[in-house]
Amino acid sequence: MGRMTDGVLVLTATPIGDVADASPAMVAALVEADVIAAEDTRRLRDLLRRLGVETSARVVSYFDGNEASRVGVLMDALRSGERVVVATDAGMPAVSDPGFRIVQAAIEEGIRVTAVPGPSAVLTALAISGLPTDRFCFEGFVSRKPGERRRALAALAREPRTMVFFEAPHRLADFLADARDVLGEERPAAVCRELTKTYEEVVRGGLGELAQWAAGEVRGEITVVVAGASGPAVSAADAVAEVLARVEAGERLKPAVAEVAAAAGLGKNELYEAALAARRESR
C-alpha cells in the first residue's frame, strides 16, 4: 500500500442527456476542482455554461487517445495535493469511458479515490427494459468485426443474467442480426435510444423482430438490453448447433467444443464426435 497524500481523485458522473439530471454534488465537484480531466473540453465547458456555473480549475483533455500519456500529468497534480476531477462526456468515468488507468495509478500510490454518483445509461436502460434486473452483466461494446462479434455472442449464449451492451447506431443492425442468429430470434431484448433526451425511444421485442426494425436508419446513443438464457440445461442438439455456429464464425472446433461442453454440462468427447458428424452431414 502506498503513502496517503492530501490529493484526491474524484470520478464524477455527468448527465447522459437531460442537464437537469446534474446533481448539486456534481456541480460542487466541478467548481471545487483544481484540475478537471475532461473527455471533451468543449463539451465540459458547454455543460458548465448550461448549468450557469464557473470553475477556476485547469481543464485538460483526457480521452481514449491520450489517456495513457495523461496519467503522469494527473498523478503529479495528485501528489502535490490537488483535487483532480475526471468527467467524461456522459455517464460514469471508467465505465466504457476513460478513467480506469488513473484510478489504478492513484490506488497504487495510496491516493484517495472517490466518486460522485449520477446518471448511467447502463442502469437506466436496465431499469426500463422490462427484463429481469435481479442479476445482470455489462458487456460494453463488442467487437465491430463480424467474426469476433459472433464469437463474443456465442460465448454468452448460456449466460443466465440479463446482458447490457453499448452499440454505435451504424452498427446496430449488424449487431442485432448476429445476436438473433446466435442467441435465437425469440430471445427478449430492448433497444434503448437517446435515453433522457427529447427523442428517447425504447423498442422491445424478440431479437428477430428488433433486427428487422433496425434494418432501417437508427440514430442516437444506443444501449441494448438482452434477456439471459432460461430453461433447462442445453440439449445435445442445441449444443451441437452452438458449436457449429462458433466454427462458422471462425473459431476452431476443439476450443468451441470445450467451452460449449463446459457451459452445458455435457461430455467434451461426446460433443466433439457429435459436432464432427453434424459437419459431415451438412456437406
Side-chain angles (χ1 to χ4, degrees), residues 13-16 18-27 30 47 51 117-119:
T14 52
I16 60 176
D18 189 347
V19 73
D21 291 335
S23 69
M26 188 214 79
V27 174
L30 296 175
L47 174 62
L51 291 170

Side-chain angles (χ1 to χ4, degrees), residues 22-235:
S23 69
M26 188 214 79
V27 174
L30 296 175
V31 170
E32 297 168 3
D34 296 305
V35 180
I36 299 177
E39 185 176 12
D40 187 318
T41 58
R42 290 170 299 180
R43 289 193 181 187
L44 174 75
R45 295 190 189 284
D46 182 61
L47 174 62
L48 292 171
R49 178 188 60 77
R50 289 185 291 154
L51 291 170
V53 297
E54 296 181 356
T55 181
S56 60
R58 303 192 309 279
V59 178
V60 299
S61 65
Y62 183 66
F63 58 95
D64 286 338
N66 73 357
E67 183 179 6
S69 62
R70 278 282 191 265
V71 168
V73 174
L74 299 180
M75 285 301 298
D76 286 343
L78 289 166
R79 292 187 193 105
S80 66
E82 292 189 293
R83 191 175 187 86
V84 175
V85 172
V86 177
T88 51
D89 290 349
M92 196 71 196
V95 180
S96 277
D97 274 324
F100 177 69
R101 286 187 175 89
I102 186 62
V103 169
Q104 273 196 321
I107 290 172
E108 287 176 3
E109 292 202 21
I111 294 171
R112 183 183 172 217
V113 179
T114 187
V116 177
S120 165
V122 177
L123 296 181
T124 302
L126 179 69
I128 66 177
S129 68
L131 298 173
T133 60
D134 54 336
R135 298 180 66 215
F136 72 93
C137 59
F138 174 56
E139 295 296 324
F141 288 94
V142 296
S143 176
R144 67 184 65 190
K145 298 179 180 179
E148 292 181 8
R149 181 171 57 233
R150 288 176 67 89
R151 283 193 290 274
L153 290 169
L156 293 168
R158 300 312 304 167
E159 169 58 60
R161 297 170 294 179
T162 299
M163 298 166 280
V164 184
F165 301 87
F166 286 161
E167 191 51 272
H170 62 280
R171 293 197 298 267
L172 178 63
D174 291 337
F175 170 85
L176 289 172
D178 283 344
R180 173 200 61 203
D181 294 343
V182 174
L183 304 179
E185 64 178 22
E186 299 300 325
R187 179 79 70 97
V191 176
C192 305
R193 188 180 72 84
E194 294 290 89
L195 288 170
T196 79
K197 300 176 184 176
T198 302
Y199 298 104
E200 177 180 287
E201 180 181 23
V202 181
V203 183
R204 304 174 180 87
L207 285 171
E209 180 183 356
L210 293 177
Q212 185 175 7
W213 165 79
E217 185 178 21
V218 180
R219 296 181 178 180
E221 300 287 335
I222 305 292
T223 306
V224 182
V225 186
V226 180
S230 61
V234 182
S235 68

